[in-house]
Amino acid sequence: MAGSQNGLVDLLESEKPSTNQKPEKDKVAFFQLIASMYIKYIQILRKLETCYDQIVHPQKRIVLRNVLDGVLGRLLELKQEMVDLECLEYHFFDDILSDLKLTPNDVEMPIPKYFVLEQEKTLRSRQDLMARVLERIGQSDPAKLSSESGMTVEEAVRLIRVHERARQGRLRAKFMREIRLRELKSRMRAAREAPEISEHDAAVRIQKVHSDWTETSIFGPKFRPNQKHLSQSTPPAQFLTSQKSAAQVAHAKAQEERRATQAAHRQEFEQALVSIRNQLMETEGPDMQETMQAQIRQWFIECRDATGKFPDYPEGEQGSAELFKQKSLADLENEINKKDDNKESRLGEASVGSGGGREGARKGGGKGAKKSGGAAKGGKRGKGDDDGDEGLKLKESKFTADIGKASQEYERIWRHRDETDNFQQRFDPELIKEEKRIEVEREVRVQVDELMRQELRGLKMAIDKEKVRKKIKKSGKKKKKTKKGKKSAGKKGRKGKKEKDLTPEATIESLYEELVSNGIIKKVPRVLISDYEGEYNYLGTTLKQANIEPMPSLADVRRTVTELACLPLGSEVVHRSAPLVKSLLLAGPGGVGKRMLVDAVCTETGANLIDLSAENLAGRYPGKDGLRRLMHLVFKVGKALQPSVLFIEDCDMMFRKKAPKGEAPDPKRLKKELPKAMKNIKAEDRILLIGTSRTPWEAEQKPFCALYQRILLIPRPDYASRHLVWRRALARHGGPGGQLLDISALAKATDGNTIGHIKLCCEEVLTPRRLAALQHRPLTTQEFIPAIARREFVHSDEEEAFKRWYERTPMGRRRAKAMAAEAEAAQLGGGGGGGGSGKAGKGQAGKGKGKQKGKRKGKKKGKKAK
């Protein structure tokens, strides 16, 4: 924790704007600055997440949680700045990692565990409710039901053939066993009839058997672990049964105990908050009330003696707290300066002549203001003309203030605190008293303000009876009028904005059951984002420097999906203030893991999966009224049970000009209703629309890109990712990586295949029967060749089609314009600061056009005057 605190302090100091710091004009240098800060924040986030998961002290966890949310939000802000700067969704940091002496694993984006752990009870109750609904409608096992109902005739014939071959194999094995037994009996019979051997030969045979037995019994246990480590002997049971080691079991047990301790300490802390507050209210509340009343009465007397009348009681939420607020020297100086400014302005107004002179001054002032405004605009342009571009600066962050506040709280309270006596890491009651004392004082002050207002009213009526009564009557009438006016205005304003609730009497649980029973809300398989395996791209920056646009690796896809989907959905604080992402499109060929990423987002954040695909909606909620009810239920349940993910498979079919023939579901059913509903999503609503597409170029470009705010292009895996996927898939399915298995050759042979194809090849070759025979017949590379040949490749033409389509998207057009501007600036300026000079040239051209337009307008006005 101390290391992350030091890193945070350094980062916050570097982010503070200074007067001497000049804006950066070099685009590459500015990106290096943002990227280095981004990587440092990731390292701090990894440390903080580990600390938050392991600390059991409830008050420390609150401080850590505030810092965690702030760091997450700041990371997303830096990500958005890099996207705006480079006009790319993927970024490459291989040169920065080499400079900082870091590996890709050091900057792997973590997903905090509290996203799911803090709503574990809610998720469990929701899963139980879903299980009861599915059991009631006869779908206790959705996966099994879908596999049975989705079986085609070809698959059924293939299954029958497989079982028939297995039956014939069992019969053949039975016949061969009988034949072997007959041969063995005949051999034994022939041996009995053979002549007896000599004593010397018999002794040699006995010695041979005895030496073999002694070697296996004495030296066998010593060499067997080395043989397993070198993959020379791999018993099938090792792969068919997933047994955890003793260290893993102990770690899991310690983790469960730590989570239970965290929950118990949290519950004790929440109970102590209530009990200590009540205790303070009973013991210190009366003394606070008497002290406040004495202070306010003294204020009454002092004002009466100074002005000759009682003062007006301060209104507002704070009430009398403003009177006794301790102000610093800076606040006092600001108040004095404001009073002096007000006096000078009043003297200036008094010196202005009356009548037409005042009106002329006002008119003159108005014209002068307009001119000054024009001069200000001209000044900005002039600055751009003289100095080129103003430079690049970091945008103002919404999270640095929260991070600094939480960091200061840790520094002030916890960093140098001696807790040797608190071995159990329970809450500190003194800190609770400090916080609750302020809350109790605030509540007592509200009560005291009500009493003292009545007392002041009584004092005024006793001294100035008639005046006070008249004022009270007039003020009462005015208040009534204003209240009526506010009510009427409120009614008028609400009529157009408020939407009609189609299910006012239904509960959220009943609506959730309805969507589950209709198959709209589906059960999510447990898939982690780390299961989406891929290697890091080590040549991204090198290719960019050679003017070659690099394709992202699977590790880049995993990080970007984590940033755009997992991190905002998991935290309500982050989602409210971070750059808002309402919709996300995953485009790529079949088998690259688009649906796997959707399941991983739901698993990591505990989100509901609401399937709005055309095939899933076929036959459900028919007609316009049914569609209206469907959209109402989806967004009402999605907002009530946040977070929620709206999933549409093959979303390009919704925006095709012509629907495919021979398909029953209507893919264009949500074409009008869904974009309207997505516009009403606010920052408080943790709802994300995720669409997947294999042929995005077949959809209409403009409405398709208007619905999906962020678009991620997922390419086929490169050689490094294929090598990693082959190694992991073979180990998962039980295939050893011995000398006879060349994984590099398999990775090269599957150039053009996707992750799904590689996993299907492993499942097809590494059957249980083949795994059982590994000890006698090692696995070879040639066994995978037929399975690889049966898979369809992603050809270069299809990959080029994805690239051409992405160039027509809004982000692709922005990227093309930026690259054209950089190329033009490089030709004109010929330097690193080409981006800035290009912008300056545009500014000069724009200004020249503005001057020409101004001259034309002036000529026209002169002609009209003549």
Side-chain angles (χ1 to χ4, degrees), residues 11 31-44 47 92-104 106-107 536:
L11 277 175
F31 177 79
Q32 295 281 334
L33 173 65
I34 300 176
S36 59
M37 291 174 58
Y38 174 82
I39 290 173
K40 290 176 182 177
Y41 269 116
I42 290 179
Q43 290 182 290
I44 292 171
K47 296 177 183 178
F92 306 97
F93 314 110
D94 46 308
D95 55 339
I96 303 175
L97 292 181
S98 62
D99 293 340
L100 297 176
K101 302 295 187 290
L102 298 174
T103 63
D106 295 331
V107 294
Y536 189 79

Side-chain angles (χ1 to χ4, degrees), residues 717-729:
D718 53 1
Y719 170 78
S721 296
R722 293 195 304 272
H723 195 280
L724 177 66
V725 171
W726 268 111
R727 284 190 283 115
R728 300 279 177 85

